[in-house]
Amino acid sequence: MNTILNATKHSIRSFAKDEEGAQVVEYALIIAVVSIALVLALKGLTTGTTFSTFISRVNNCLSTSNCS
């Protein structure tokens, strides 16, 4: 019985000290913040137009020298 308790205690301590999952959560939070910033930036650039119109303008600007 004592060995089971010691094994359980050891497992709980090693789980509490494990930081690999924390890195995944940190990366996920960074990706979420960057995604929100990109959406807000694109929303600001497409004021008064639809997103597809904005993409068409960007495509036109990249494929020709007419960037209006």
Side-chain angles (χ1 to χ4, degrees):
M1 181 72 171
N2 195 19
T3 56
I4 294 173
L5 290 175
N6 284 337
T8 305
K9 186 167 96 173
H10 177 69
S11 296
I12 291 172
R13 282 188 181 169
S14 66
F15 178 75
K17 290 181 181 182
D18 187 17
E19 295 184 3
E20 289 181 24
Q23 291 176 349
V24 172
V25 172
E26 290 170 359
Y27 287 131
L29 288 173
I30 291 169
I31 290 170
V33 169
V34 169
S35 298
I36 291 170
L38 285 173
V39 167
L40 292 176
L42 286 175
K43 185 177 181 184
L45 290 174
T46 60
T47 304
T49 62
T50 62
F51 186 72
S52 61
T53 305
F54 172 72
I55 295 298
S56 298
R57 285 180 30 216
V58 171
N59 187 26
N60 184 32
C61 188
L62 292 175
S63 61
T64 65
S65 61
N66 185 12
C67 294
S68 56

